[in-house]
Amino acid sequence: MEKLGTREAAFVLRVGVGTTQSAKDKAVPTTSGASDKLVVVLKPGNAGGAKGLTRMRWDARERTPGLGTGARFKTQLASLTLRAERGRKYRFTALMHLITEDSLKACFWDLARNKAPGIDRVTMTEYEADLEENIRGLLARLKARTYRPQPVKRVYIPKPNGKQRPLGIPAVEDKVVQMACKKILEAIFEVDFLDTSYGFRPNRGCHDALDDLSRTVMCQPVNFIVDCDIERFFDTVSHKTLLRCF
C-alpha cells in the first residue's frame, strides 16, 4: 500500500467532520446564565459529500478498555476508501497485511460484550483474560493459513407467527476475524451503495430510514408506499449470480 500523501493525510485528520462551526462562532463566549445555542444534528449521506468510511466518526464511544487501539488500522481503512472512491474499477488483491495484532485487538473491543458464547462456551470475559496471547496465536494461524473457524452454535428464536427464526452464534475468536473482514470490506464497498440504502451499513439504522421516509412523504408528492419483504431471501438467493456481480 502506498503511503498517504499530504492531501490524503490532511483529509484523514478531518475524519468524521460533517458540518463544522466557523471560527467566529467558536470564539463567541457564553454569558453567565445564557442558554446554549441550538444544535441541529445533521446526518449527511453519500450524496451530500460524506461518502464512504472516510467520513465516519471514529471516537472514544466505540470502546473504552481498548481506547487508542487500532489507530493505524483506521488510517489504512481510510486509505482503502480513498482508493475505492477514486477508481471504481480498481481491484484490491493484497489485503492480508491489514490483519495485525493491533487490528485484531481493535476488532475485539468493537464486539458486543453481552452476547452468548459460541459452541466452545468461551465468553468475552474469559477470552479477554488472556487477550494478548489469544490474539497472538490467532494471528499466527491466520498468517500460516491454518486457521479454521469453529462450527456455529445454532439456536432458534420464536417468532410472533409461531415459527422459529434460526440464529447462528460464532465463537469469540471467529467473531474477531469476522469483524476484521467486515471492516475491510466496508472500507472498499461502502462507496458503491446508494444513499437510500440503510440496511446493515455503518452509522445507519432503522431510525435513519424512517427519518428519510418521513422527510420524503412530507416534502414530496407521494401517491403510494410499497412495503415488501422477500421470503427466505438469504436461503434462496443464487450465490453464483451474486459472485458474478463482483
Side-chain angles (χ1 to χ4, degrees), residues 2-3 6 11 25 55 70 82 87 98 122 126 138 145-146 188 193 197 199 202 215 229-230 244:
E2 298 177 1
K3 293 184 178 179
T6 304
F11 180 76
D25 291 337
R55 281 75 164 182
L82 288 174
L98 299 173
V122 176
E126 293 171 340
L138 174 59
R145 299 186 179 183
T146 58
I188 296 172
F193 282 91
S197 173
R215 287 191 297 269
D229 186 17
I230 301 176
R244 283 201 299 266

Side-chain angles (χ1 to χ4, degrees), residues 5-187:
T6 304
R7 293 179 59 186
E8 290 86 347
F11 180 76
V12 171
L13 290 176
R14 295 196 295 270
V15 166
V17 179
T19 304
T20 59
Q21 279 185 305
S22 65
K24 180 179 179 181
D25 291 337
K26 291 181 179 179
V28 176
T30 303
T31 58
S32 177
S35 299
D36 292 336
K37 297 175 110 179
L38 177 64
V39 177
V40 179
V41 180
L42 301 179
K43 293 181 291 186
N46 286 356
K51 198 170 191 179
L53 292 183
T54 49
R55 281 75 164 182
M56 286 180 61
R57 182 168 297 171
W58 291 312
D59 53 29
R61 294 176 301 173
E62 295 180 357
R63 52 187 176 272
T64 301
L67 184 63
T69 305
R72 176 176 172 80
F73 187 45
K74 296 171 187 176
T75 304
Q76 290 173 323
L77 293 179
S79 177
L80 288 182
T81 303
L82 288 174
R83 288 174 176 268
E85 286 178 331
R86 291 171 178 174
R88 294 304 178 90
K89 294 184 179 181
Y90 189 88
R91 292 294 179 265
F92 297 87
T93 58
L95 298 171
M96 191 60 194
H97 66 280
L98 299 173
I99 306 298
T100 63
E101 289 188 27
D102 190 53
S103 63
L104 289 176
K105 283 190 288 187
C107 292
F108 172 82
W109 292 119
D110 280 342
L111 295 176
R113 316 293 295 175
N114 58 347
K115 299 298 183 180
I119 196 171
D120 59 357
R121 299 183 180 181
V122 176
T123 64
M124 291 286 293
T125 302
E126 293 171 340
Y127 195 86
E128 180 186 347
D130 197 11
L131 183 61
E132 295 288 339
E133 185 62 29
N134 288 333
I135 292 297
R136 190 176 299 112
L138 174 59
L139 179 62
R141 281 178 282 129
L142 287 170
K143 296 290 187 180
R145 299 186 179 183
T146 58
Y147 163 78
R148 297 293 182 270
Q150 300 183 54
V152 176
K153 181 180 178 181
R154 174 67 78 186
V155 297
Y156 293 90
I157 301 176
K159 299 174 65 174
N161 59 5
K163 297 182 179 180
Q164 292 183 323
R165 182 188 302 277
L167 180 66
I169 304 178
V172 173
E173 183 177 76
D174 297 330
K175 288 181 181 179
V176 173
V177 178
Q178 291 173 6
M179 177 65 74
C181 295
K182 169 183 173 290
K183 287 179 176 293
I184 294 172
L185 292 176
E186 278 180 348

